[in-house]
Amino acid sequence: MSGIFVKGYGVVSPAGWGAEPFREALQQGQPLSIKELVPPGWNRSLRVRPVPAPHSRPSVLSHARLRRTSPIAQYAVAAALEAIGSDAAAHANGSHRLGIIYCAMTGCVKYSQRFYDETLREPSTASPLIFPETVFNAPASHLGAVLGATAINYTLVGDPGTFLQGLALAADWLLAGRVERCVVIGAEELDWLVAEAFCLFERRVIMSEGAGALYLAREAGEEGALELHAITEPQLFLPEQPRHLAAVRVRNELNGEGAGELL
Protein backbone atom coordinates (compact mmCIF):
# COMPACT_ATOMS: atom_id res chain seq x y z
CA MET A 1 0.00 0.00 0.00
CA SER A 2 1.31 3.47 -0.84
CA GLY A 3 -0.01 6.95 -1.41
CA ILE A 4 -2.67 6.86 1.35
CA PHE A 5 -2.34 9.61 3.95
CA VAL A 6 -3.99 10.25 7.31
CA LYS A 7 -4.98 13.90 7.06
CA GLY A 8 -6.87 14.17 10.33
CA TYR A 9 -8.25 12.34 13.33
CA GLY A 10 -11.02 12.82 15.85
CA VAL A 11 -11.86 11.34 19.23
CA VAL A 12 -14.73 11.14 21.69
CA SER A 13 -13.70 9.12 24.74
CA PRO A 14 -14.14 8.77 28.50
CA ALA A 15 -11.43 11.45 28.71
CA GLY A 16 -13.75 13.96 27.02
CA TRP A 17 -14.88 15.33 23.66
CA GLY A 18 -12.00 15.84 21.26
CA ALA A 19 -8.45 14.67 20.69
CA GLU A 20 -6.90 17.12 23.15
CA PRO A 21 -8.36 15.62 26.37
CA PHE A 22 -7.55 12.17 24.99
CA ARG A 23 -3.88 13.13 24.48
CA GLU A 24 -3.75 14.69 27.94
CA ALA A 25 -5.09 11.49 29.51
CA LEU A 26 -2.45 9.45 27.68
CA GLN A 27 0.33 11.79 28.83
CA GLN A 28 -0.80 11.57 32.45
CA GLY A 29 -0.63 7.80 32.26
CA GLN A 30 -3.29 7.31 34.93
CA PRO A 31 -6.44 5.18 34.53
CA LEU A 32 -9.60 7.19 34.05
CA SER A 33 -12.27 7.03 36.73
CA ILE A 34 -14.57 4.01 36.85
CA LYS A 35 -18.32 4.17 37.42
CA GLU A 36 -20.70 1.50 38.63
CA LEU A 37 -23.57 0.52 36.34
CA VAL A 38 -26.34 -1.49 38.01
CA PRO A 39 -28.52 -3.45 35.54
CA PRO A 40 -32.26 -3.59 36.31
CA GLY A 41 -33.08 -6.38 38.73
CA TRP A 42 -29.44 -7.03 39.61
CA ASN A 43 -27.89 -6.95 43.05
CA ARG A 44 -24.38 -6.36 41.68
CA SER A 45 -22.90 -3.77 39.36
CA LEU A 46 -20.74 -3.61 36.25
CA ARG A 47 -17.66 -1.39 36.00
CA VAL A 48 -17.71 1.03 33.08
CA ARG A 49 -16.11 4.22 31.77
CA PRO A 50 -18.73 6.49 30.14
CA VAL A 51 -18.15 9.56 27.98
CA PRO A 52 -18.60 12.67 30.18
CA ALA A 53 -21.00 15.42 29.23
CA PRO A 54 -19.22 18.09 27.14
CA HIS A 55 -18.20 21.30 28.91
CA SER A 56 -20.03 23.21 26.20
CA ARG A 57 -22.51 21.56 23.87
CA PRO A 58 -20.93 21.02 20.41
CA SER A 59 -22.71 23.20 17.87
CA VAL A 60 -23.18 20.27 15.50
CA LEU A 61 -25.52 18.58 17.99
CA SER A 62 -28.09 21.31 17.31
CA HIS A 63 -28.34 20.12 13.70
CA ALA A 64 -31.87 18.97 12.86
CA ARG A 65 -30.66 15.41 12.17
CA LEU A 66 -28.99 15.10 15.57
CA ARG A 67 -31.56 16.52 17.98
CA ARG A 68 -33.06 13.15 18.90
CA THR A 69 -30.26 10.78 17.96
CA SER A 70 -28.67 8.11 20.10
CA PRO A 71 -25.37 8.79 21.89
CA ILE A 72 -23.46 6.55 19.46
CA ALA A 73 -24.52 8.71 16.51
CA GLN A 74 -23.47 11.87 18.33
CA TYR A 75 -20.07 10.37 19.17
CA ALA A 76 -19.53 9.19 15.59
CA VAL A 77 -20.48 12.51 14.00
CA ALA A 78 -18.41 14.56 16.48
CA ALA A 79 -15.29 12.41 15.96
CA ALA A 80 -15.70 12.45 12.17
CA LEU A 81 -16.13 16.23 11.98
CA GLU A 82 -13.04 16.74 14.14
CA ALA A 83 -11.06 14.47 11.81
CA ILE A 84 -12.31 16.17 8.64
CA GLY A 85 -11.74 19.66 10.04
CA SER A 86 -11.85 22.54 7.58
CA ASP A 87 -12.56 20.20 4.65
CA ALA A 88 -16.16 19.85 5.84
CA ALA A 89 -17.19 22.93 3.82
CA ALA A 90 -15.67 21.46 0.64
CA HIS A 91 -17.67 18.26 1.08
CA ALA A 92 -20.86 20.26 1.61
CA ASN A 93 -20.52 22.04 -1.75
CA GLY A 94 -19.48 18.88 -3.58
CA SER A 95 -15.86 19.84 -4.22
CA HIS A 96 -14.64 16.43 -3.05
CA ARG A 97 -16.24 13.00 -3.30
CA LEU A 98 -16.23 11.87 0.33
CA GLY A 99 -16.58 8.20 1.24
CA ILE A 100 -17.93 7.31 4.68
CA ILE A 101 -17.19 4.00 6.41
CA TYR A 102 -18.76 3.51 9.81
CA CYS A 103 -17.69 0.48 11.88
CA ALA A 104 -19.62 -0.92 14.82
CA MET A 105 -20.13 -4.03 16.87
CA THR A 106 -23.31 -3.52 18.90
CA GLY A 107 -24.80 -0.39 17.32
CA CYS A 108 -27.65 1.72 18.68
CA VAL A 109 -28.45 -0.38 21.74
CA LYS A 110 -30.02 2.37 23.85
CA TYR A 111 -32.67 3.29 21.31
CA SER A 112 -33.30 -0.38 20.50
CA GLN A 113 -34.01 -1.04 24.17
CA ARG A 114 -36.26 1.99 24.35
CA PHE A 115 -38.18 1.02 21.21
CA TYR A 116 -38.82 -2.58 22.27
CA ASP A 117 -39.64 -1.49 25.82
CA GLU A 118 -42.34 0.86 24.54
CA THR A 119 -43.64 -1.77 22.13
CA LEU A 120 -43.92 -4.44 24.81
CA ARG A 121 -45.53 -2.08 27.31
CA GLU A 122 -48.16 -0.68 24.97
CA PRO A 123 -47.86 -1.23 21.21
CA SER A 124 -50.58 1.31 20.38
CA THR A 125 -48.61 4.18 21.91
CA ALA A 126 -45.05 3.14 20.99
CA SER A 127 -43.34 5.94 19.09
CA PRO A 128 -42.44 5.09 15.47
CA LEU A 129 -39.98 8.02 15.55
CA ILE A 130 -37.59 5.91 17.61
CA PHE A 131 -37.32 3.03 15.15
CA PRO A 132 -34.99 4.75 12.60
CA GLU A 133 -32.46 5.20 15.41
CA THR A 134 -32.33 1.46 16.10
CA VAL A 135 -30.75 0.42 12.79
CA PHE A 136 -27.01 -0.11 12.44
CA ASN A 137 -26.45 2.46 9.70
CA ALA A 138 -28.21 5.35 11.47
CA PRO A 139 -24.94 7.09 12.56
CA ALA A 140 -23.46 6.93 9.03
CA SER A 141 -26.71 8.26 7.59
CA HIS A 142 -26.69 11.20 10.01
CA LEU A 143 -23.06 11.99 9.21
CA GLY A 144 -23.77 11.97 5.49
CA ALA A 145 -26.70 14.34 6.00
CA VAL A 146 -24.72 16.73 8.20
CA LEU A 147 -21.88 16.90 5.66
CA GLY A 148 -24.10 16.88 2.60
CA ALA A 149 -22.02 13.97 1.28
CA THR A 150 -23.51 12.09 -1.67
CA ALA A 151 -20.74 9.56 -2.44
CA ILE A 152 -20.57 5.95 -1.24
CA ASN A 153 -21.52 5.36 2.40
CA TYR A 154 -20.97 1.97 4.09
CA THR A 155 -21.67 0.56 7.53
CA LEU A 156 -19.58 -2.45 8.59
CA VAL A 157 -20.83 -4.59 11.48
CA GLY A 158 -18.46 -7.10 12.99
CA ASP A 159 -15.99 -7.86 15.76
CA PRO A 160 -13.45 -5.55 17.47
CA GLY A 161 -11.21 -5.78 14.39
CA THR A 162 -13.80 -4.28 12.05
CA PHE A 163 -12.15 -0.85 12.14
CA LEU A 164 -9.06 -2.34 10.49
CA GLN A 165 -11.28 -3.77 7.76
CA GLY A 166 -12.77 -0.30 7.37
CA LEU A 167 -9.31 1.20 6.85
CA ALA A 168 -8.46 -1.42 4.25
CA LEU A 169 -11.73 -0.77 2.42
CA ALA A 170 -11.14 2.99 2.50
CA ALA A 171 -7.67 2.52 1.02
CA ASP A 172 -9.17 0.34 -1.73
CA TRP A 173 -11.75 3.03 -2.58
CA LEU A 174 -9.09 5.73 -2.73
CA LEU A 175 -6.67 3.71 -4.84
CA ALA A 176 -9.48 2.75 -7.24
CA GLY A 177 -10.60 6.36 -7.57
CA ARG A 178 -14.10 5.70 -6.22
CA VAL A 179 -13.70 8.59 -3.75
CA GLU A 180 -11.27 11.48 -3.28
CA ARG A 181 -11.43 11.49 0.51
CA CYS A 182 -12.66 8.91 3.01
CA VAL A 183 -13.46 9.07 6.72
CA VAL A 184 -13.44 5.84 8.75
CA ILE A 185 -15.25 5.87 12.10
CA GLY A 186 -15.49 3.32 14.87
CA ALA A 187 -18.02 3.92 17.65
CA GLU A 188 -19.85 2.22 20.50
CA GLU A 189 -22.24 3.38 23.21
CA LEU A 190 -22.49 2.16 26.77
CA ASP A 191 -25.34 0.00 27.99
CA TRP A 192 -25.59 -2.63 30.70
CA LEU A 193 -26.55 -5.29 28.14
CA VAL A 194 -23.36 -4.69 26.15
CA ALA A 195 -21.17 -4.41 29.25
CA GLU A 196 -22.45 -7.76 30.51
CA ALA A 197 -21.88 -9.36 27.11
CA PHE A 198 -18.21 -8.31 27.15
CA CYS A 199 -17.85 -9.96 30.56
CA LEU A 200 -18.68 -13.30 28.95
CA PHE A 201 -15.30 -13.09 27.20
CA GLU A 202 -13.27 -11.36 29.92
CA ARG A 203 -14.80 -11.07 33.39
CA ARG A 204 -12.48 -8.27 34.47
CA VAL A 205 -13.08 -6.10 31.41
CA ILE A 206 -14.13 -2.49 31.99
CA MET A 207 -16.21 -1.32 29.05
CA SER A 208 -15.95 2.25 27.78
CA GLU A 209 -17.78 4.15 25.05
CA GLY A 210 -16.98 6.78 22.46
CA ALA A 211 -15.73 7.06 18.90
CA GLY A 212 -12.56 7.43 16.88
CA ALA A 213 -12.18 8.63 13.29
CA LEU A 214 -9.40 8.80 10.69
CA TYR A 215 -9.63 11.02 7.62
CA LEU A 216 -7.78 9.57 4.61
CA ALA A 217 -6.73 11.05 1.26
CA ARG A 218 -4.42 10.32 -1.67
CA GLU A 219 -2.24 13.41 -1.13
CA ALA A 220 -0.47 14.66 1.96
CA GLY A 221 -1.33 18.33 1.39
CA GLU A 222 0.76 21.37 2.19
CA GLU A 223 0.42 20.83 5.95
CA GLY A 224 1.79 17.29 5.67
CA ALA A 225 0.24 14.04 6.87
CA LEU A 226 1.11 10.56 8.09
CA GLU A 227 1.36 7.98 5.31
CA LEU A 228 -0.52 4.74 5.81
CA HIS A 229 1.88 1.99 4.75
CA ALA A 230 0.18 -1.15 6.01
CA ILE A 231 -2.81 -2.48 7.92
CA THR A 232 -2.39 -5.45 10.22
CA GLU A 233 -4.68 -8.41 10.55
CA PRO A 234 -7.15 -8.13 13.45
CA GLN A 235 -5.84 -9.61 16.70
CA LEU A 236 -8.64 -10.17 19.18
CA PHE A 237 -8.42 -10.24 22.98
CA LEU A 238 -9.40 -13.78 23.98
CA PRO A 239 -8.77 -16.01 27.00
CA GLU A 240 -6.04 -17.77 25.02
CA GLN A 241 -4.68 -14.48 23.61
CA PRO A 242 -4.48 -11.72 26.24
CA ARG A 243 -3.94 -8.10 25.26
CA HIS A 244 -0.16 -8.07 25.57
CA LEU A 245 0.15 -11.07 23.23
CA ALA A 246 -2.26 -9.49 20.73
CA ALA A 247 -0.16 -6.30 20.78
CA VAL A 248 3.04 -8.28 20.15
CA ARG A 249 1.49 -10.03 17.16
CA VAL A 250 0.30 -6.74 15.69
CA ARG A 251 3.74 -5.18 16.09
CA ASN A 252 5.39 -8.20 14.49
CA GLU A 253 3.30 -7.64 11.35
CA LEU A 254 4.63 -4.10 10.95
CA ASN A 255 7.90 -3.29 9.22
CA GLY A 256 8.60 0.13 10.73
CA GLU A 257 11.25 0.19 13.43
CA GLY A 258 12.32 3.80 13.60
CA ALA A 259 10.93 6.52 15.84
CA GLY A 260 7.75 7.99 14.44
CA GLU A 261 7.14 5.16 12.00
CA LEU A 262 4.54 3.31 14.07
CA LEU A 263 1.16 4.81 14.93
Side-chain angles (χ1 to χ4, degrees):
M1 181 187 300
S2 62
I4 303 296
F5 296 90
V6 181
K7 290 178 65 68
Y9 57 92
V11 184
V12 175
S13 73
W17 292 66
E20 190 59 36
F22 183 72
R23 282 197 298 264
E24 291 175 357
L26 289 176
Q27 290 172 355
Q28 292 173 3
Q30 298 296 323
L32 297 172
S33 60
I34 298 173
K35 304 217 173 152
E36 302 291 327
L37 179 64
V38 182
W42 284 34
N43 56 10
R44 63 183 180 88
S45 60
L46 298 165
R47 299 188 301 164
V48 297
R49 289 192 174 98
V51 169
H55 294 299
S56 59
R57 183 176 173 82
S59 59
V60 67
L61 296 186
S62 62
H63 192 282
R65 285 292 295 260
L66 299 178
R67 288 174 185 167
R68 298 182 181 88
T69 55
S70 61
I72 194 172
Q74 297 178 7
Y75 302 156
V77 172
L81 290 181
E82 183 182 22
I84 294 170
S86 60
D87 279 1
H91 298 310
N93 62 29
S95 297
H96 297 140
R97 286 178 293 124
L98 174 70
I100 295 173
I101 300 177
Y102 165 66
C103 309
M105 244 186 9
T106 57
C108 307
V109 181
K110 288 185 178 294
Y111 268 66
S112 296
Q113 274 199 356
R114 181 178 167 186
F115 175 75
Y116 286 111
D117 180 67
E118 289 189 6
T119 303
L120 291 172
R121 287 176 184 272
E122 181 50 63
S124 63
T125 59
S127 173
L129 297 176
I130 299 175
F131 179 75
E133 296 302 321
T134 68
V135 297
F136 275 108
N137 66 328
S141 172
H142 291 312
L143 176 60
V146 169
L147 289 170
T150 58
I152 191 167
N153 185 322
Y154 270 20
T155 293
L156 304 183
V157 181
D159 57 32
T162 303
F163 187 79
L164 294 176
Q165 296 172 330
L167 288 177
L169 180 60
D172 182 64
W173 287 357
L174 288 164
L175 293 172
R178 300 189 69 182
V179 296
E180 296 170 284
R181 304 280 194 279
C182 193
V183 61
V184 185
I185 314 107
E188 294 293 340
E189 64 183 10
L190 193 58
D191 184 85
W192 71 266
L193 188 64
V194 181
E196 183 196 11
F198 275 102
C199 290
L200 297 176
F201 298 91
E202 174 55 65
R203 300 192 64 84
R204 295 177 297 174
V205 71
I206 301 173
M207 185 185 172
S208 62
E209 63 179 350
L214 291 179
Y215 181 47
L216 307 178
R218 287 298 308 273
E219 73 283 347
E222 296 180 359
E223 70 279 7
L226 293 170
E227 186 171 5
L228 184 64
H229 289 288
I231 300 170
T232 70
E233 292 294 328
Q235 295 291 340
L236 304 185
F237 307 150
L238 302 168
E240 60 272 18
Q241 179 169 273
R243 297 185 184 196
H244 71 275
L245 182 57
V248 168
R249 290 186 174 180
V250 167
R251 182 174 288 271
N252 288 341
E253 290 188 32
L254 299 172
N255 298 321
E257 298 178 354
E261 290 187 18
L262 296 182
L263 176 62

